[in-house]
Amino acid sequence: MNAPELRLVALEVTRRCTLACRHCRGDSRNERYTDELTLAEIKALLDNITSFANPIIIITGGEPLTRPDVFDIAAYSSSSGFRTVLATCGHMLDDTTVEKLIDAGISRISVSLDGADAVTHDDFRGVEGAFDNAIQGLGIARAHGLDFQINSTLTTLNIGELESIHCLAVELGAVGFHPFLLVPMGRGTGLADSALSGEAYEEALERIADIAENSPIEIKPTCSPHYSRVIRQRARSKAAVNGADGSVEKDSDAASRLQNPASPRHTMTKGCLGGQGFVFVSHVGNVQACGFLELTAGNVRANGFDLRDIWETSKLFRDFRDIDNYHGKCAVCEYRRICGGCRARAYYATGDYLAEEPSCIYVPETMEKQPGNP
């Protein structure tokens, strides 16, 4: 099986962060982490990536702005020809920092708002004033013309504010709204009881699709692979009403031909891109399918910063790409090539990263037809 095109690389340049977010995947703390990849090592990694791919580079953390040489990292990435973006909590954004980000070639930043007001957001982030500081930072970014998107991690604690957060993102001048569905790991294991049930998850995806119908900004759910199924089902329903064929495509290119029934700003990709178009490189060089699944496909520091070798030969990634070998209903679902389920949720629920998506309530057509099923 040939390796797919590498389209996105999340580069965790530090795990340090001054906030104490309840859902933090890395259990980040405001302290210096030892053994982080050096600037020279990150440059070597980026040089290797240029030899075989041209992905978007996402500089992330922790809080990447706590790293003094983050602007040098961004500038080297940009000068290497990569579209370079940065994920920040927003509280460290000021005029000087934003100008440095722009000068370093950062084309967009993401800032997380996990509530429509300070009460919800600050409780989520664990620091009083986090909401006001983020709003102030976003205003500075807007004033300097630096594009930003709003990310939100959805749980039972804030799902009631979904539409309000989207409206706030529009009001603030965001170019995109990216709702994330919680993957309980790291410090987020403490929020496991606040994760959406399968039914509530499905309802949230429908609500996101409703928002996307008329949103003036880009809408892109993340860590919610069966959103691809929901969108396809909505398209099939519309096709059925109009008398058109609403059949499901069976080939591996189905995702690229998804007909988008929502606004032109609605961004769709294949469900789970982990190991199939996306890769995460940790602050110590561990290569993972995503930041939410701490299973290591290899370590770039240990193999001479040859990400290409890990991307193309890792057993973990090859397993992820062989979707016909997934287990449970994910193995037989007619939407498996455009969804694939969340491998991280499957792993944390069962210990098997190929198991069926535990948060999905959909019953595949092949299973519906089996004896004993209604």
Side-chain angles (χ1 to χ4, degrees), residues 323-335:
I323 57 176
D324 289 329
N325 271 337
Y326 285 5
H327 303 153
K329 65 183 181 182
C330 282
V332 297
C333 182
E334 63 273 21
Y335 292 100

Side-chain angles (χ1 to χ4, degrees), residues 72-368:
D72 297 319
I73 294 170
Y76 193 81
S77 175
S78 301
S79 65
S80 298
F82 299 120
R83 183 190 176 200
T84 307
V85 299
L86 182 138
T88 173
C89 299
H91 60 292
M92 296 182 69
L93 296 173
D94 56 24
D95 289 302
T96 300
T97 298
V98 170
E99 288 175 357
K100 285 184 176 180
L101 289 172
I102 294 172
D103 289 344
I106 294 294
S107 60
R108 181 189 289 196
I109 60 172
S110 66
V111 173
S112 293
L113 292 179
D114 295 307
D117 57 31
V119 174
T120 308
H121 180 81
D122 289 4
D123 178 67
F124 221 78
R125 294 279 154 177
V127 173
E128 186 177 353
F131 181 82
D132 291 340
N133 289 337
I135 297 297
Q136 179 179 329
L138 289 168
I140 294 171
R142 184 177 187 178
H144 285 270
L146 177 59
D147 284 349
F148 61 87
Q149 70 187 48
I150 299 300
N151 296 345
S152 298
T153 299
L154 302 178
T155 70
T156 59
L157 303 175
N158 63 359
I159 188 61
E161 300 179 31
L162 171 60
E163 289 79 8
S164 297
I165 297 171
H166 166 257
C167 289
L168 178 60
V170 174
E171 178 185 330
L172 291 171
V175 297
F177 175 53
H178 293 210
F180 284 62
L181 276 296
L182 176 71
V183 179
M185 56 89 63
R187 195 180 298 138
T189 56
L191 282 177
D193 291 341
S194 298
L196 299 180
S197 67
E199 292 76 13
Y201 192 154
E202 194 83 2
E203 180 186 355
L205 298 181
E206 290 284 356
R207 288 166 62 187
I208 292 169
D210 288 340
I211 290 170
E213 291 279 356
N214 300 297
S215 178
I217 64 176
E218 167 192 296
I219 305 296
K220 186 178 181 182
T222 305
C223 296
S224 50
H226 41 288
Y227 185 68
S228 297
R229 167 183 54 78
V230 168
I231 288 298
R232 174 53 65 85
Q233 287 176 302
R234 289 165 70 101
R236 291 178 72 186
S237 295
K238 289 184 178 181
V241 169
N242 295 326
D245 178 13
S247 61
V248 180
E249 290 185 85
K250 302 295 185 180
D251 66 280
S252 60
D253 294 325
S256 66
R257 291 195 292 276
L258 275 172
Q259 296 301 308
N260 176 17
S263 75
R265 293 284 190 174
H266 189 218
T267 302
M268 283 287 297
T269 62
K270 180 183 180 296
C272 178
L273 292 176
Q276 304 190 57
F278 174 89
V279 73
F280 176 92
V281 181
S282 81
H283 65 300
V284 294
N286 290 331
V287 180
Q288 302 166 202
C290 77
F292 297 102
L293 181 60
E294 288 195 318
L295 295 178
T296 302
N299 182 285
V300 291
R301 180 179 271 158
N303 84 336
F305 301 96
D306 190 353
L307 182 62
R308 179 175 189 171
D309 179 65
I310 296 171
W311 178 250
E312 294 180 349
T313 68
S314 161
K315 180 182 184 303
L316 180 68
F317 292 164
R318 286 188 281 113
D319 285 347
F320 272 45
R321 295 162 191 164
D322 191 3
I323 57 176
D324 289 329
N325 271 337
Y326 285 5
H327 303 153
K329 65 183 181 182
C330 282
V332 297
C333 182
E334 63 273 21
Y335 292 100
R336 66 188 183 280
R337 297 189 184 278
I338 60 170
C339 171
C342 175
R343 299 299 98 215
R345 289 194 194 97
Y347 178 76
Y348 293 125
T350 69
D352 175 11
Y353 57 76
L354 297 181
E356 66 183 48
E357 158 72 67
S359 299
C360 179
I361 63 172
Y362 178 71
V363 179
E365 292 178 358
T366 53
M367 296 180 69
E368 286 182 340

